[in-house]
Structures are given as structure tokens and as C-alpha cells.
Amino acid sequence: MTAESPAQTVQRLFPLLAEGRSAEAAALFADSVSFSIPHPPGIPWVPEVDSADGVRMFFELLAAHVRAKELDLRQIITDGDDVVLLGRMVSEVKKTGRDIDTAFALHTTVRDGRITRYHLYEDTYAVAKAYFGD
């Protein structure tokens, strides 16, 4: 049996999150994680994260505050251990009922079968507008 590729490891993440299985999703991450999601101050679902436990907390907070509606994964770019996913996602902020509709880039790194980097880039203005209003 061959080990799965870094892209396969990263792609296992999305179905787990869609099913609300944050502990299993977090188990895909290494004990030490480089985590970055630039975001406006006051957004309650992006904690400081540096470990698999922190990633689990992030996924739980995200599920508590945001409901995923659409995920359109348009491209997967791989280079060794690095996997970059490009696409568009639509999520509803539960507090306001407003949608976050944004293109995104997710840069991950997988080493020894575990995700060690999770850097998400999205439209922070769209996030702020959906959470805080106009």
C-alpha cells in the first residue's frame, strides 16, 4: 500500500469539516502547526493556533459562528510537500444571516502525512461586512 500524496491528505479535510467531525479533521494536523488567517479585529472564530488542538478549536469556533453553503475548489497546485488550493466559498454568518462570498487561496504543507501549514487567504472586507454590517 502506498502512502497518500500531500494533496490527498489535504482533500480529506473538507468532507470531515462538512460532516462536523472537527476532532477527526484536527487529527490530520501535526503537533506543531504554522497557522495563519488574516482577519479583521473582532472576528470570533479565528483564535491563535499553533497545534492540532488549536486547529480543532478553530474548526469548532468556525462551525459555531459560520454555516458553509458552497465550496467550489477550482484548482489544486502541488509542489513536493506544498499544496495550494484555489477556489470560491460562500458561508453564512449565523449572527447576521449575511453571506461571506469570497475567492480563496489555501497554502498547506504536509510532512510525514500530517498538515504542518494552514495559511488561508480570503477577502477580509467581505468577512467584515458579513459579520459587522455596512
Side-chain angles (χ1 to χ4, degrees):
M1 183 174 163
T2 56
E4 68 183 5
S5 72
Q8 289 169 321
T9 299
V10 173
Q11 288 179 78
R12 282 199 296 138
L13 185 61
F14 300 107
L16 293 172
L17 293 174
E19 296 168 11
R21 296 161 54 189
S22 57
E24 289 175 68
L28 297 174
F29 287 79
D31 292 336
S32 178
V33 177
S34 174
F35 180 93
S36 175
I37 301 179
H39 59 282
I43 298 296
W45 58 83
V46 186
E48 293 295 318
V49 172
D50 64 1
S51 66
D53 277 344
V55 170
R56 180 189 47 74
M57 181 174 56
F58 161 66
F59 291 145
E60 289 172 358
L61 285 169
L62 185 64
H65 291 279
V66 176
R67 183 178 67 83
K69 293 174 81 174
E70 293 177 43
L71 176 66
D72 179 14
L73 188 55
R74 295 182 178 164
Q75 189 172 8
I76 300 171
I77 303 163
T78 60
D79 183 14
D81 293 340
D82 289 304
V83 180
V84 175
L85 298 100
L86 303 174
R88 178 182 160 265
M89 60 185 159
V90 179
S91 305
E92 178 185 322
V93 175
K94 292 178 180 180
K95 173 183 168 184
T96 64
R98 293 184 178 138
D99 284 349
I100 302 168
D101 187 341
T102 180
F104 73 90
L106 175 61
H107 180 192
T108 62
T109 302
V110 178
R111 291 211 172 88
D112 299 320
R114 294 285 178 82
I115 300 169
T116 60
R117 176 195 336 241
Y118 186 95
H119 291 195
L120 178 69
Y121 305 96
E122 61 185 343
D123 181 349
T124 56
Y125 177 73
V127 173
K129 190 171 177 182
Y131 185 74
F132 297 111
D134 295 324

